[in-house]
Amino acid sequence: MRLTFEIQDLRTRHAFHIARAAAPPTRPTVWVRITDDEGHEGWGEASASPYYGETVDTVAALLPRFAEAIGAAEPFDPLRLEALEAAVARTVRRNPAARASVSAALHDLAGKRLGVPVWTLWGLSPQAVTSSFTIGIDSPERVRERIAEAAEYPILKVKVGTPRDAEILAMIRTEAPDKKLRVDANTGWTVKGALRLLPVLEECGVELIEEPLPADDHDGLRLLRERSTIPIIADESCRTADDIPRLAGCVDGINIKVAKCGSLREAVRMVHIARAHRLRVMLGCMVESTLGIAASIQLAPLVDDVDLDGAALLADDPFTGPGLERDGRIRFNDAPGLGVQRS
Ligand code: MG
């Protein structure tokens, strides 16, 4: 088999800011292709996030090493996925998006060789699930425009973590009185600030609070959870399955992202370990094309909450395949592998 890759720009429809990072409307991404000796191609996307120590350059630097680790010269054996992922993980401990792109490409290739969708490889079947749609941090006028554009989505996830949170949330609640509202502070609050905002969040009927505090503030999370009637979900605090046991008791659930945990198999392992700790499980994403989102959708039947709108935020998506309908419902497909086509 042979591993090749290309770097391309993804353009979001609007600038997309979160509490810990302002983001330009264009961001580079890496597409990985693994071709086997029969001509099948497995594809994966590496959505590199500087917060987790990655850029397209670090991804590009590692991919040739991963190619070597999986024995790119050897014939591909779809039954050795676990060993191939382990070989990639032994090459480098961190760099999860780079590893995840190879994991996705290997799973895509295995599904294509066996003629089944990746979800079938795990004994899953498509379920009726609806994703939230994310509203970034912006001026009240722009947020109002975004809410109007998101009219068909029944669940909104609102990025918070600015001095205007209370004002913005009250405005959103007025504009969208019937939608489910979730908030994500991306580590942007202090315990004191979060406690002060709790009555506003409860008043607005917010149903989930994601990553309110700095990622290592477990005591703060525990205290906030004791005071909050709204469930708290760990995202930045929970990178891999190993983080889960010490978060139990501090949060109500975790947000799994394939590009954050490093592989599809690690994501499945996180689901199992979270369930063992009676935690709610959310499946999230980065700003990714349908190629990246399709890898996560394979896991959607395993989780409680889905936030897979990364490709829905793009101005143009170079891939078609599994994704979100205009009303946020997750669309699976029966095509082998990840079910993605380059358009
Ligand atoms: Mg988050």
Side-chain angles (χ1 to χ4, degrees), residues 167-189:
E167 176 197 348
I168 296 274
L169 284 168
M171 187 269 284
I172 292 174
R173 196 27 112 203
T174 310
E175 298 284 320
D178 301 323
K179 289 189 197 292
K180 283 189 181 176
L181 276 190
R182 300 171 180 171
V183 297
D184 185 357
N186 291 105
T187 74
W189 289 338

Side-chain angles (χ1 to χ4, degrees), residues 20 157 159 184 186 210-211 235-236 255 257 307:
R20 55 177 172 70
K157 177 161 125 177
K159 295 292 191 180
D184 185 357
N186 291 105
E210 200 177 312
E211 198 67 24
D235 180 0
E236 284 88 338
N255 185 353
K257 293 175 182 166
D307 178 36

Side-chain angles (χ1 to χ4, degrees), residues 52-189:
Y52 297 113
E54 295 186 276
T55 62
V56 288
D57 294 331
T58 64
V59 173
L62 280 170
L63 287 172
R65 288 179 58 195
F66 293 159
E68 208 172 301
I70 60 175
E74 312 278 322
F76 174 66
D77 179 351
L79 301 181
R80 287 190 64 244
L81 276 180
E82 196 150 356
L84 294 171
E85 273 206 352
V88 170
R90 275 196 302 274
T91 308
V92 61
R93 228 181 105 238
R94 294 191 181 276
N95 302 78
R99 287 188 285 120
S101 66
V102 175
S103 166
L106 288 169
H107 281 79
D108 189 28
L109 187 54
K112 285 171 177 165
R113 279 281 289 265
L114 299 167
V116 292
V118 170
W119 43 262
T120 299
L121 298 176
W122 293 320
L124 303 174
S125 46
Q127 308 265 320
V129 262
T130 298
S131 171
S132 49
F133 183 80
T134 309
I135 307 288
I137 289 177
D138 224 317
S139 65
E141 298 71 40
R142 290 237 171 82
V143 169
R144 192 174 281 119
E145 288 167 23
R146 298 293 99 81
I147 302 289
E149 286 172 17
E152 289 177 74
Y153 292 97
I155 313 171
L156 295 182
K157 177 161 125 177
V158 181
K159 295 292 191 180
V160 292
T162 76
R164 307 182 81 168
D165 289 341
E167 176 197 348
I168 296 274
L169 284 168
M171 187 269 284
I172 292 174
R173 196 27 112 203
T174 310
E175 298 284 320
D178 301 323
K179 289 189 197 292
K180 283 189 181 176
L181 276 190
R182 300 171 180 171
V183 297
D184 185 357
N186 291 105
T187 74
W189 289 338

